Amino acid sequence: MTSTVMAKTAHELSLDGDEPPPRYFVKQSPFGLIDSSISSVSLPIIDLTLLSSSSNEDELKKLGSALTSWGCFQAMGHGIEESYLDEVRKVAKQFFELPIEEKKKYSRAADEGEGYGGDLIVSDKQILDWSDRLALKVLPQDERRLDLWPQNPNDFSDILNRYAMKIKTIIDLLFKAMAKSVNLEENSFLDQFGDQAMLIARFNFYPRCPKPDQVLGLKPHSDKSGITVLLQDKEVEGLHVLKDKQWFKVPIIPHALVVNVGDQMEIMTNGIIKSPVHRAVTNPERLRISVAVSNEPQPEREIRPADGLVDENRPRLYKTVKNYAAVNFECFQKGEVALETVKIKSK
């Protein structure tokens, strides 16, 4: 696979007043075209304080219902002060507001995902996203590429490190709760991911776009992770989730975190817990930021449906996979559903 980098990022095109080039235009999609008239939806709200209590079966049932119906929810009671969430948003905006040449000090290589830039281009037919990103591996700590961690703003690294560690605690709590929600031993999913599981932070910047009816900030996709925890922009909406072949807007709750189940959790639960397809739309008047933190197993680690979730009544749905992130990425760029490629075909 040969990867290239666009001459200008979406932010540069926006600053220069350029129209989006044809490669950004969504011409057709199995997930439908961009429609500005879609409805908002109240995602399930899960209180993590209640979830962490071993005696609260009601919240565990609410979690199970949210995961099997939506595959995502708004998390409250997560223990992170709203003022600290604002600090995370602030350093994200400060970084993306830096001069282009300053940001390019942290540019990713043409064939790597870590660092600053736009889409990796792997196909001439690929539809590009109207967004700039900064992706950084936080864990394992000895795999950090500190040369890609911005030194400006000067508190960026400290804020990212502390925030990511808080999210790691939330993800571990949710992995245990999800296991219990499907009647497995609570460490079942954590054990599959292993003690060297990766934690990856991605800062997303969606510039103003003059063609919001034709250009997406992020193509429809499901996440390659086990779990993704998203901090939304405090004011500007843009996240849509697909349910029953219909798109819904996800409203902003400023002090909540949006939790998305990733494909690897759907695989481990043998399809009981759903990994939702979602997208980000663009805005002609306002820029938007978000910060996603997700976990993935090391590429060589095998992930498979848990034995306790496979029986005569529920046959095994997914193959054992390694390096699933690469499978998901290639499908994402082609507009395909990655999970379909690892399903066991019925005879």
Side-chain angles (χ1 to χ4, degrees):
M1 178 182 72
T2 301
S3 301
T4 57
V5 182
M6 284 293 285
K8 284 185 178 182
T9 67
H11 193 196
E12 288 176 275
L13 292 167
S14 177
L15 289 173
D16 292 344
D18 295 347
E19 289 281 305
R23 295 198 62 180
Y24 285 91
F25 285 71
V26 178
K27 301 172 186 68
Q28 58 184 10
S29 169
F31 305 107
L33 297 177
I34 307 168
D35 182 0
S36 59
S37 63
I38 66 172
S39 303
S40 288
V41 65
S42 296
L43 285 184
I45 295 175
I46 301 296
D47 187 332
L48 300 190
T49 305
L50 296 177
L51 202 61
S52 62
S53 169
S54 58
S55 60
N56 200 306
E57 292 297 319
D58 289 343
E59 204 66 16
L60 195 63
K61 288 178 182 176
K62 276 180 63 179
L63 175 69
S65 175
L67 296 175
T68 54
S69 58
W70 283 95
C72 55
F73 58 88
Q74 302 262 21
M76 307 285 278
H78 46 66
I80 305 176
E81 294 289 336
E82 188 171 358
S83 60
Y84 193 73
L85 297 179
D86 288 340
E87 286 294 309
V88 177
R89 294 184 179 106
K90 180 181 174 183
V91 294
K93 284 184 176 177
Q94 287 175 334
F95 171 76
F96 287 114
E97 287 170 353
L98 292 173
I100 295 294
E101 290 309 311
E102 176 69 17
K103 287 184 289 193
K104 283 187 174 177
K105 293 178 182 177
Y106 309 103
S107 291
R108 58 170 179 77
D111 59 350
E112 294 181 0
E114 194 168 358
Y116 165 73
D119 280 342
L120 266 76
I121 300 173
V122 298
S123 163
D124 291 338
K125 298 179 181 178
Q126 181 179 335
I127 303 299
L128 302 182
D129 295 327
W130 191 256
S131 57
D132 288 8
R133 306 177 190 114
L134 174 67
L136 299 169
K137 187 187 291 185
V138 181
L139 293 176
Q141 196 160 334
D142 61 2
E143 294 181 17
R144 290 182 181 182
R145 291 276 306 279
L146 293 177
D147 57 312
L148 298 175
W149 287 48
Q151 296 178 20
N152 186 5
N154 58 17
D155 55 351
F156 183 98
S157 293
D158 180 57
I159 287 175
L160 169 57
N161 184 66
R162 287 192 289 139
Y163 178 67
M165 292 304 101
K166 291 175 187 287
I167 299 299
K168 170 72 163 58
T169 300
I170 291 170
I171 287 175
D172 287 352
L173 167 69
L174 288 171
F175 257 46
K176 291 180 179 181
M178 288 178 183
K180 289 193 286 187
S181 77
V182 291
N183 300 314
L184 293 178
E185 195 278 320
E186 68 172 14
N187 288 320
S188 297
F189 301 143
L190 285 171
D191 288 346
Q192 278 213 50
F193 266 47
D195 57 10
Q196 291 296 302
M198 297 183 289
L199 192 72
I200 298 166
R202 190 166 88 167
F203 296 80
N204 303 303
F205 179 83
Y206 303 98
R208 298 174 189 87
C209 180
K211 301 285 186 182
D213 58 334
Q214 296 174 288
V215 175
L216 284 168
L218 190 60
K219 289 182 287 294
H221 68 288
S222 55
D223 288 344
K224 60 187 177 181
S225 60
I227 292 176
T228 300
V229 179
L230 182 75
L231 176 63
Q232 292 209 77
D233 191 293
K234 199 169 184 178
E235 298 176 352
V236 185
E237 289 184 351
L239 176 63
H240 293 178
V241 64
L242 188 69
K243 185 177 189 291
D244 299 327
K245 299 182 180 180
Q246 184 177 352
W247 286 106
F248 294 93
K249 296 178 188 176
V250 177
I252 293 169
I253 302 177
H255 53 290
L257 297 167
V258 178
V259 175
N260 266 348
V261 169
D263 287 358
Q264 300 202 57
M265 180 59 74
E266 179 162 338
I267 291 169
M268 291 191 295
T269 63
N270 200 32
I272 294 173
I273 290 176
K274 302 302 181 186
S275 173
V277 172
H278 50 286
R279 70 184 183 187
V281 294
T282 54
N283 190 303
E285 298 171 356
R286 304 187 71 182
L287 56 82
R288 187 171 76 91
I289 60 101
S290 67
V291 181
V293 178
S294 58
N295 68 337
E296 298 173 29
Q298 289 288 343
E300 71 281 359
R301 196 166 182 92
E302 292 188 339
I303 298 299
R304 56 180 173 72
D307 292 338
L309 301 178
V310 177
D311 56 32
E312 290 182 1
N313 295 322
R314 189 174 189 86
R316 182 169 172 166
L317 298 179
Y318 295 106
K319 304 171 187 174
T320 298
V321 298
K322 285 201 289 190
N323 198 14
Y324 178 78
V327 176
N328 178 282
F329 173 77
E330 293 235 8
C331 291
F332 166 54
Q333 300 304 353
K334 295 175 185 175
E336 298 173 355
V337 179
L339 278 172
E340 292 299 319
T341 70
V342 298
K343 274 190 174 177
I344 295 173
K345 307 301 181 187
S346 55
K347 296 178 181 178

